[in-house]
Amino acid sequence: MTSEGTISILSPYPADQFPREVEPVPPHIADLNLDQVIEALVAGRTDHELAPLFAEQLDDADVIAYRQEVFADLETDALCDMTFEFARRMAAVRTSMAQVARLHHPREQQGWFLDIVDAYCETVGLLADALTGNALRSRALLHLHAFVTRYVTSPGFEALRAGSSRVRQMLADVHYTIAVRGGHVTVGRFEGEDDYRAEVLSTFARFTTAVDGGIRVRHRQPVELNHVEAHILDLVAELYPDIFAELERFFRHHQDFLEPTVVRLERELHFYLAYLEYLRPLHLAGLSTCLPEVTSRSAGIVVRDSFDLALASKLVAAGQSVVTNDLTVTDPERILVVSGPNQGGKTTFARMVGQLHHLACIGCPVPGTTARLQLCDRILTQFEGTGAGTGRLEDDLRRLQRLLATATSDSLVILNEVFSSTALDDAVFLGTKLMERLVELNVLSVLVTFLDELASYGPSIVSLVAAVAPEDPARRTYQVLRRPADGLAHALALAARHGLTYEMLRSRVQR
């Protein structure tokens, strides 16, 4: 096990040796619409800098397994709920600290600081209880449990908690009276005078706000004392100088009370919590996710009931159904050629394959009931280009040249209609040359194309077709099936180019 200062719940390697930044963001993130997923994942968690963790590309099987173990542990509802509560309370502590830093009156700051320290101690104790009360199997959470257990019983933490309790008990002995006569306010020690506190509290009880989740920080945004309140507080402090001096000492000596390892591990924990929160509405809608088996390229690919994560999130939010797809690839198959009619789900299917491998290679659950996926050293994508300044075809070819120069047999290549801007004969010629190169590289590839000729290039090719309803060829099913190309894809693309599809002709006739 690594030392306390370097343990990580994202990697079995020491935290100071594990990469944390991804610059620049890999191009496949936007091509696969993973940028939409990441944007949703980090919403409300911007201070944790989670985006690089979701955008990075990993090719280390042990890191992937390390993270999968955590997701498996968090399948326990009680543990998952308590870790969410820990994260929520830590967020409240940080928010309160920022708010208190903006207060101007020193003694008001010191009082709020005492509350924040109490909330922090309770929050860390909650995490220790959560980890103790559940059967943990993951290496990461076992390391976290060991660290938190040592931390909450350490002399430093015990001194922090005891010091806070002692100062709070001292403040509980502060009793004073306020006499208001005209424009004058007099503050004195309580000497047994009539106490109207209970009646006042009862009268104004209807205006109080329940403490949220047991955190002692009283307000989401502390209210600055006005000049009268501040003056009264100063007068009370003069009556009890020793007590308020102790409060000031506690404030001054514990400015760095947040344990850096706790703060870092909490940030890492949000990697798991953000993803689980994103999946929750999909699960409620009946969609499945699973922890995939991530293997070498020779083991093949098996996916059942999978879907495009970004698209599914939008459809579920809109109350619409999601079409799932299956995929099986066995050795020596390496290149998936996806053909079929436009708007039939080909590009969505290609994105799904890319998303599955990216998510699997950062250790996350993937869409589907079961999945076996390839451990990729990189994901390389090329979708339709803009051709700005050079022309569409030239732009496609230059980008494709750069892509193939970096691809290896352990990569995943996804190409979407790269030659759709040129004539059929030229597209077939270029497509054939492309297939030769992909076969030579022996690289796992997904090629979305209108060129049915490419679907029968050789034994490493898998032909997949975006299906239509048998009773109505104009209706897409959005399922991509393993079968020979039917020769209609280019005909439909050509008809669309010349305005001769069934829908276009019917629209003209109805005019």
Side-chain angles (χ1 to χ4, degrees):
M1 178 176 169
T2 58
S3 65
E4 288 186 359
T6 59
I7 66 168
S8 170
I9 57 173
L10 290 174
S11 168
Y13 307 124
D16 56 2
Q17 297 179 16
F18 192 65
R20 283 292 181 269
E21 301 300 329
V22 179
E23 291 292 345
V25 175
H28 76 268
I29 295 296
D31 280 344
L32 301 177
N33 286 347
L34 285 167
D35 55 337
Q36 300 174 19
V37 175
I38 294 174
E39 182 180 359
L41 287 169
V42 304
R45 292 181 168 90
T46 54
D47 56 335
H48 293 292
E49 299 180 352
L50 295 175
L53 299 177
F54 288 108
E56 64 187 339
Q57 290 181 267
L58 303 177
D59 59 358
D60 190 315
D62 196 33
V63 175
I64 293 168
Y66 194 81
R67 296 181 181 185
Q68 285 190 348
E69 292 168 9
V70 176
F71 278 113
D73 269 351
L74 292 177
E75 289 177 356
T76 303
D77 290 341
L79 178 60
C80 188
D81 291 344
M82 293 186 79
T83 52
F84 268 106
E85 178 66 6
F86 165 74
R88 186 185 71 81
R89 292 190 180 200
M90 280 296 293
V93 167
R94 283 194 308 276
T95 299
S96 297
M97 286 182 65
Q99 293 167 347
V100 169
R102 294 193 291 268
L103 297 177
H104 294 92
H105 195 282
R107 292 190 177 95
E108 184 186 15
Q109 272 193 330
Q110 294 160 16
W112 279 101
F113 181 81
L114 188 65
D115 284 350
I116 294 170
V117 169
D118 283 351
Y120 169 75
C121 292
E122 291 174 3
T123 299
V124 176
L126 171 75
L127 179 62
D129 292 342
L131 297 172
T132 300
N134 288 274
L136 304 175
R137 293 184 174 86
S138 65
R139 289 169 286 171
L141 295 189
L142 287 170
H143 291 169
L144 177 60
H145 183 209
F147 165 74
V148 173
T149 300
R150 285 194 296 271
Y151 174 57
V152 298
T153 57
S154 67
F157 186 83
E158 290 288 0
L160 177 68
R161 185 159 49 186
S164 172
S165 177
R166 179 170 54 83
V167 173
R168 188 170 295 284
Q169 289 175 0
M170 294 174 69
L171 289 171
D173 293 332
V174 173
H175 299 281
Y176 59 94
T177 62
I178 299 175
V180 180
R181 294 181 179 86
H184 298 280
V185 177
T186 303
V187 176
R189 281 181 177 269
F190 177 69
E191 301 292 350
E193 295 89 345
D194 291 337
D195 186 357
Y196 298 103
R197 179 176 51 181
E199 295 180 32
V200 172
L201 290 175
S202 175
T203 300
F204 291 96
R206 73 187 72 179
F207 304 111
T208 60
T209 303
V211 176
D212 191 15
I215 301 176
R216 291 184 181 176
V217 178
R218 298 184 183 90
H219 305 285
R220 293 183 64 84
Q221 294 189 354
V223 178
E224 186 88 31
L225 294 178
N226 61 42
H227 70 285
V228 175
E229 294 167 329
H231 185 58
I232 290 174
L233 179 56
D234 289 337
L235 292 175
V236 172
E238 290 179 10
L239 296 174
Y240 298 92
D242 294 341
I243 294 176
F244 280 87
E246 191 64 28
L247 174 62
E248 182 182 5
R249 278 193 293 271
F250 181 86
F251 174 79
R252 188 172 60 253
H253 292 164
H254 294 287
Q255 284 296 298
D256 58 350
F257 73 92
L258 286 176
E259 163 59 45
T261 302
V262 171
V263 174
R264 178 173 53 76
L265 293 175
E266 184 232 346
R267 179 242 179 169
E268 293 183 355
L269 185 61
H270 277 275
F271 171 83
Y272 302 97
L273 300 182
Y275 195 73
L276 291 173
E277 191 171 45
Y278 183 87
L279 295 182
R280 187 171 293 167
L282 303 181
H283 291 162
L284 292 175
L287 296 170
S288 297
T289 59
C290 65
L291 289 171
E293 178 187 359
V294 183
T295 68
S296 64
R297 62 180 182 272
S298 61
I301 295 172
V302 176
V303 177
R304 295 288 179 266
D305 306 308
S306 192
F307 49 89
D308 177 324
L309 193 61
L311 178 60
S313 182
K314 292 179 181 178
L315 293 176
V316 167
Q320 301 179 35
S321 60
V322 177
V323 175
T324 63
N325 273 287
D326 300 340
L327 175 64
T328 301
V329 179
T330 58
D331 193 51
E333 298 168 339
R334 297 292 285 160
I335 304 173
L336 313 180
V337 177
V338 187
S339 60
N342 290 336
Q343 307 300 318
K346 302 189 300 295
T347 299
T348 297
F349 182 86
R351 285 197 174 105
M352 179 195 81
V353 176
Q355 289 176 10
L356 285 170
H357 282 85
H358 176 86
L359 295 169
C361 289
I362 61 172
C364 289
V366 301
T369 53
T370 185
R372 182 171 69 233
L373 299 163
Q374 175 180 307
L375 177 61
C376 302
D377 61 359
R378 69 201 71 186
I379 299 175
L380 303 167
T381 59
Q382 182 167 326
F383 282 52
E384 296 179 83
T386 61
T390 60
R392 169 77 177 280
L393 180 59
E394 182 178 351
D395 179 68
D396 282 347
L397 291 173
R398 289 183 182 277
R399 294 170 61 207
L400 191 57
Q401 182 183 39
R402 292 192 295 268
L403 182 151
L404 294 175
T406 59
T408 73
S409 59
D410 291 320
S411 303
L412 170 62
V413 171
I414 301 178
L415 305 173
N416 186 64
E417 302 282 17
V418 290
F419 300 129
S420 61
S421 63
T422 190
L424 176 60
D425 290 344
D426 292 337
V428 171
F429 173 78
L430 293 171
T432 301
K433 293 296 184 182
L434 171 62
M435 296 297 283
E436 291 175 358
R437 181 60 178 147
L438 293 175
V439 171
E440 180 184 350
L441 289 170
N442 194 31
V443 59
L444 178 62
S445 310
V446 182
L447 177 61
V448 175
T449 181
F450 62 91
L451 302 173
D452 295 323
E453 295 88 342
L454 303 183
S456 55
Y457 183 81
S460 63
I461 311 302
V462 177
S463 176
L464 300 166
V465 178
V468 296
E471 70 282 3
D472 181 8
R475 183 167 64 84
R476 278 64 165 154
T477 66
Y478 304 108
Q479 290 216 300
V480 177
L481 305 177
R482 184 180 179 122
R483 70 185 189 198
D486 55 18
L488 298 178
H490 180 65
L492 287 171
L494 192 62
R497 181 179 298 180
H498 294 284
L500 298 175
T501 65
Y502 172 80
E503 293 86 352
M504 292 175 176
L505 293 174
R506 183 174 181 179
S507 175
R508 292 177 186 173
V509 170
Q510 289 177 341
R511 291 178 186 172

